[in-house]
């Protein structure tokens, strides 16, 4: 009997070691720029071998099933989001909003006031885009030129551009945001028979967003001004930016209409396909005349061909956008299918904390392991609900919805995350130069906001 127990512990220990090796290897190789398309399944095989799972079954069934579950939930959001982002950029709507705000509040200021205004304008711009249904990943391509132009006009050192590109993070789990954190949380709870909505937990959610925004604003302003005081300045380092300067742009309020309509429709219908689809149609109808009617070869083309090209270009970006989200989910599915992970879950059940604090821990751990908020939400929700059942509690559905959605934004952007590698690469900035403010905005401050929201639900359980 003792021999059998010892053997079982050794097996679990080896399984846990395999999970650690797989995760570390996944992080290291992704950090070095190796494609997660093949790194993730290789690491999944390593986890399977250490955990005595059939490696072929792990990759062809468990891994693929994990990817498929997330794909089914996020198809509409990411597909429509990338098309919307491309059409919105091609019509000049994105440039209209950013340049209007910049010209009115940034360009004519001087000294410290210019930096303060620039950071605030970028927060507002990213907030509008995030709440207006443009996928967070797509925003990087849509707004990178604008961030660079504003940084240049305000003489903000380029090493802070990656952090400025993260200013959509506070809004990713905001109540009513048509983003994957809300959609996946609602879907995961729905699969367990619990009905909720993307606007659940609205008051603590808004408080959390305001805290993250405030901390991000004052931190970035402080470190940018300090760098400038030390003699640092903006430089392009050979990065070519197409600003669209000289092109006629739609009016600011016209450009704003599709974003507002998407937000309202999503809050009312909870259907991202309908909301973003209407946003795409509205953008084209209201602003098609501002699209550049020249193809990549410099030939003049019809407006119909211009619109088709914009939609086609957005569609071509979709595969990379979706695969970057679902690939870590496949790896997470293999990890969570092991007995060793079951042992880790058992440790969660033993935590003597309030259920909201446990929820933050569970989601944060899984999102750190997988680098995938959708995977973390799908893994964590069943665990949290089972713990609530064991404790004999009635679930606070608005609280669970908002805290889980917020917690999924915390440890996603660790150094090896694909999003982090992308924004650093586009800005030509090393981790050493630019990662710390990224970490503060996307990890540290989102965690603070999540904890505050949880505390509000703990002390004021009636908030919704």
């Amino acid at each position: 009997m003792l021999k059998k127990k010892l053997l079982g512990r050794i097996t679990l220990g080896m399984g846990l070691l395999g999970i650690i090796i797989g995760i570390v290897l996944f992080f290291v190789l992704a950090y070095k720029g190796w494609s997660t398309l093949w790194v993730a399944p290789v690491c999944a095989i390593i986890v399977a071998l250490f955990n005595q799972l059939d490696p072929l079954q792990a990759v062809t069934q468990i891994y693929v099933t994990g990817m498929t579950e997330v794909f089914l939930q996020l198809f509409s959001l990411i597909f429509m989001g990338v098309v919307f982002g491309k059409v919105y950029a091609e019509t000049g709507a994105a440039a209209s909003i950013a340049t209007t705000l910049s010209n009115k509040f940034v360009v004519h200021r001087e000294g410290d006031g210019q930096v303060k205004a620039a950071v605030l304008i970028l927060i507002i711009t990213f907030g509008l885009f995030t709440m207006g249904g443009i996928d967070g990943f797509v925003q990087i391509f849509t707004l990178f030129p604008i961030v660079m132009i504003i940084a240049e006009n305000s003489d903000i050192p380029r090493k802070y551009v990656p952090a400025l590109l993260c200013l959509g993070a506070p809004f990713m789990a905001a109540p009513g945001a048509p983003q994957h954190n809300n959609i996946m949380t609602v879907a995961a709870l729905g699969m367990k028979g619990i009905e909720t909505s993307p606007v659940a937990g609205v008051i603590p959610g808004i408080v959390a967003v305001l805290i993250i925004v405030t901390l991000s604003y004052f931190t970035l302003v402080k470190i940018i001004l300090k760098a400038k005081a030390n003699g640092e300045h903006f430089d392009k380092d050979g990065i070519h930016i197409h600003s669209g300067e000289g092109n006629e742009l739609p009016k600011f309020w016209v450009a704003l209409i599709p974003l507002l309509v998407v937000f309202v429709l999503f809050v009312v219908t909870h259907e991202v396909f309908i909301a973003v689809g209407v946003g795409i149609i509205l953008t084209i109808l209201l602003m098609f005349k501002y699209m550049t009617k020249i193809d990549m070869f410099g030939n003049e083309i019809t407006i119909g061909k211009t619109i088709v090209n914009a939609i086609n270009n957005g569609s071509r970006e979709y595969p990379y956008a979706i695969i970057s989200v679902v690939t870590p989910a496949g790896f997470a599915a293999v990890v969570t299918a092991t007995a060793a992970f079951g042992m880790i879950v058992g440790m969660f059940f033993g935590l003597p904390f309030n259920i909201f604090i446990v929820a933050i821990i569970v989601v944060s751990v899984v999102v750190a392991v997988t680098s995938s908020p959708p995977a973390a939400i799908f893994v964590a929700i069943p665990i949290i609900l089972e713990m609530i059942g064991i404790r004999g509690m009635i679930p606070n559905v608005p609280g669970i919805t908002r805290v889980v959605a917020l917690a999924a934004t915390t440890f996603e952007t660790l150094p090896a995350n694909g999003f982090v590698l992308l924004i650093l690469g586009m800005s030509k900035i090393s981790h050493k130069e630019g990662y710390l403010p990224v970490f503060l905005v996307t990890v540290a401050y989102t965690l603070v906001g999540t904890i505050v929201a949880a505390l509000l639900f703990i002390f004021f359980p009636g908030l919704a």
Side-chain angles (χ1 to χ4, degrees), residues 70-71 73-78 81 130 133-139 168-169 171-174 176-188 198 266 272 321-322 324-326 367 371-378 401-402 404-410 412-413 417 419:
V70 174
F71 174 84
Q73 298 297 331
L74 294 182
F75 167 78
S76 295
L77 170 65
I78 296 182
T130 306
I134 297 180
D135 179 66
F137 188 84
V138 177
Q139 288 179 34
F171 307 96
M172 288 300 295
Q179 300 294 335
H180 56 67
N181 289 50
N182 282 329
I183 291 170
M184 293 303 293
T185 304
V186 171
F266 182 67
V272 71
I322 189 69
S324 68
V325 174
V326 302
V367 82
S371 196
S372 169
I377 291 166
F378 254 42
T401 303
R402 190 54 44 213
V404 168
L406 285 165
T409 66
T410 54
E412 174 192 5
T413 46
N417 176 262
F419 176 86

Side-chain angles (χ1 to χ4, degrees), residues 84-95 141-142 283:
F84 185 28
K86 179 58 68 174
V87 170
Y88 201 76
E90 291 290 329
T91 56
F141 300 101
T142 306
T283 301

